Amino acid sequence: QVQLVESGGGLVQAGGSLRLSCAASGRPFSNYGMAWFRQAPGKEREFVAGITWNGLNTNYVDSVKGRFTISRDNAKSSVYLQMNSLEPEDTAVYYCAADAFRTMKVQVREGQYDYWGQGTQVTVFS
């Protein structure tokens, strides 16, 4: 089992920045691919960014490319999402997810992730 706890969400003006953190406990963190998903009100949960277990590969949804950066620190069992140039459309609950299958390709489908955090709210106002 892996427990995931997100933090760092909040209220920010458009154009601002936030850094989300996800702390993992349980099985060795370095075995897991990690990702951030988000769910806006009335919408399906969507993939935002992902990183492979060794940090060598990343993937982003087109709408955040160039603005968001995912990173991980295996020594701290944590994954991060640096979000810059935030837009009102980024408003959502952001979830951290862990993929127990060690792969060199970032998984983008929700069903491929085995563990989920409770989510942290990000609200961007104009």
Side-chain angles (χ1 to χ4, degrees), residues 2 6 31 54 62 64 106:
V2 174
E6 303 96 335
N31 288 342
N54 56 7
D62 286 346
V64 309
V106 173

Side-chain angles (χ1 to χ4, degrees), residues 8-14 16-18 86 91 120-126:
L11 184 66
V12 64
Q13 191 169 19
S17 298
L18 282 175
L86 282 160
T91 295
T120 185
Q121 176 71 47
V122 171
T123 303
V124 185
F125 64 94
S126 56

Side-chain angles (χ1 to χ4, degrees), residues 18-65:
L18 282 175
R19 187 190 193 214
L20 304 184
S21 298
C22 173
S25 60
R27 293 185 176 178
F29 177 75
S30 59
N31 288 342
Y32 292 85
M34 300 297 297
W36 290 94
F37 285 74
R38 68 185 178 186
Q39 187 167 22
K43 294 188 177 181
E44 303 262 325
R45 188 153 58 181
E46 67 167 349
F47 172 84
V48 176
I51 188 166
T52 51
W53 61 276
N54 56 7
L56 291 182
N57 293 312
T58 59
N59 195 7
Y60 299 89
V61 67
D62 286 346
S63 60
V64 309
K65 284 180 180 176

Side-chain angles (χ1 to χ4, degrees), residues 73-88:
D73 185 338
N74 286 346
K76 295 183 178 180
S77 298
S78 293
V79 63
Y80 309 98
L81 186 67
Q82 178 66 44
M83 305 187 294
N84 299 329
S85 302
L86 282 160
E87 303 168 353

